[in-house]
Amino acid sequence: MTDTADDTPDPADDPLRAPPGERTVPELLRFGVVNVDKPAGPSSHQLSAWVRDAINDALAALDPEGEPIDGVAHAGTLDPKVTGCLPTLTGDATRAAQVFLEGTKEYVAVLELHGSPPSDFREVVGEFEAQIYQKPPRKSAVTRRLRTRTIHDLDVLEVRDRQALLRIRCESGTYVRKLCHDVGLATGVGAHMGHLRRTATDPFDDGDLHALQDLVDGLAWAREGDESLLREVVRPAEDALVHLPSVTVAPSAARNVATGAPVYAPGVIGGDESAVSTGERGDPPLVACHTPDGVAVCLGRLVGDPDAESGVVVSLERVLL
């Protein structure tokens, strides 16, 4: 499908955002992501509220005629004592929160053994590097139903006396506390989880974490005219989608999606090879649709061939415009 000059709407009415690298600071704050380094103490909900309030205070000064953001969304709850990687979507980007359910998470945990580790400790731990069964704990917010979760990697980094340092790369939704308990049972001595730190949530890791104070400082400096720190801390929300298969759609098709239309084959320009594979559990894969200049359009399920001449290619799950 080819766009013509006559098809281009008035900029004031165009639902398409500016390309990620060309957005103003207010536009960035209303559709951004911050890879927050959560400290021990506050809950994930408290930290998210602080991020929202700090952004809205800045927006009131930077763009007083514009709207405040309604809220933020983080990448999976961390208990108050747990630290580390808590990617947080801001404003309209909260519509994309489900992307954090599609990737893997990585943790470093201290396993507190209740006795001396057996001689085959590493071999016993290695047996959990597989698909395992888990039931959510009683305090969880989800239904306590037996389910499977995949442990992709489980490495023993160090053993000292009755403590072991573990690195766990696992499917989203894995309860590490329960995993540590089960490892303790398998070793025959019992164990519980000590300190826990999340080191990665696809597509983010601990290589570019930012403390809440970095965000507060960046917002303050931006109000004084220096945007450099803020643009390091707050990234375009499209950066939260890079681990998903991508389908490129024409701007005209993107504008139709903004009104609730699915992605039809004539509007598809191209797609990743990975977009044609099935998801981990056999479902149609979740894909992110973008315009040619990188603007996120929607999340959806790939239900058709991107190379087809007709038919629905992507069924909508969340419109991001």
Side-chain angles (χ1 to χ4, degrees):
M1 182 178 294
T2 302
D3 284 311
T4 66
D6 293 337
D7 294 329
T8 303
D10 184 279
D13 299 324
D14 194 350
L16 296 185
R17 296 183 180 85
E22 299 177 13
R23 291 172 192 160
T24 65
V25 164
E27 289 171 337
L28 183 63
L29 294 175
R30 292 188 177 105
F31 194 68
V33 60
V34 184
N35 190 15
V36 178
D37 187 356
K38 179 191 173 298
S43 67
S44 299
H45 179 73
Q46 288 173 317
L47 198 68
S48 297
W50 294 339
V51 170
R52 178 201 62 210
D53 293 346
I55 288 176
N56 279 336
D57 285 345
L59 283 173
L62 294 167
D63 186 21
E65 300 300 319
E67 295 291 328
I69 63 171
D70 290 332
V72 301
H74 57 71
T77 301
L78 294 177
D79 291 343
K81 292 182 180 180
V82 180
T83 66
C85 189
L86 188 71
T88 303
L89 297 161
T90 67
D92 289 341
T94 59
R95 301 171 189 167
Q98 73 184 91
V99 301
F100 296 125
L101 302 177
E102 298 294 319
T104 60
K105 290 181 168 61
E106 183 181 89
Y107 300 86
V108 172
V110 175
L111 182 70
E112 300 283 355
L113 294 158
H114 300 167
S116 298
S119 58
D120 62 346
F121 175 72
R122 292 177 182 271
E123 289 76 12
V124 171
V125 172
E127 291 296 319
F128 286 83
E129 196 173 281
Q131 191 174 79
I132 63 173
Y133 289 96
Q134 285 198 323
K135 180 180 286 188
R138 295 184 183 277
K139 292 183 179 180
S140 67
V142 300
T143 303
R144 297 192 70 237
R145 203 170 46 221
L146 192 66
R147 60 187 187 174
T148 60
R149 285 296 180 265
T150 301
I151 307 300
H152 300 290
D153 295 295
L154 182 53
D155 301 320
V156 179
L157 302 180
E158 185 179 357
V159 179
R160 183 182 300 174
D161 298 327
R162 289 164 54 173
Q163 289 183 321
L165 188 64
L166 307 179
R167 181 171 57 211
I168 306 140
R169 194 171 70 86
C170 56
E171 183 181 353
S172 180
T174 302
Y175 288 93
V176 178
R177 189 181 304 276
K178 182 66 167 61
L179 174 65
C180 289
H181 173 78
D182 292 344
V183 168
L185 292 178
T187 63
V189 299
H192 66 275
M193 185 188 79
H195 180 68
L196 180 67
R197 180 170 177 81
R198 188 156 68 192
T199 53
T201 293
D202 278 348
F204 301 98
D205 59 31
D206 57 0
D208 59 354
L209 287 170
H210 294 283
L212 182 62
Q213 189 62 49
D214 295 332
L215 173 64
V216 172
D217 289 345
L219 291 168
W221 292 359
R223 293 169 68 168
E224 299 297 324
D226 183 354
E227 303 176 357
S228 56
L229 176 59
L230 185 63
R231 289 187 180 276
E232 288 181 17
V233 176
V234 183
R235 294 154 57 177
E238 283 84 357
D239 285 5
L241 312 179
V242 296
H243 62 304
L244 297 179
S246 179
V247 172
T248 304
V249 300
S252 58
R255 295 183 180 101
N256 290 334
V257 168
T259 65
V263 177
Y264 292 103
V268 174
I269 296 174
D272 295 343
E273 290 185 6
S274 57
V276 301
S277 63
T278 58
E280 183 171 343
R281 299 187 181 280
D283 300 323
L286 183 71
V287 298
C289 295
H290 300 81
T291 61
D293 55 4
V295 176
V297 176
C298 66
L299 298 174
R301 296 288 171 180
L302 191 75
V303 295
D305 183 355
D307 295 326
E309 297 295 326
S310 63
V312 175
V313 174
V314 178
S315 63
L316 295 188
E317 292 209 355
R318 299 295 288 177
V319 175
L320 303 180
L321 296 174

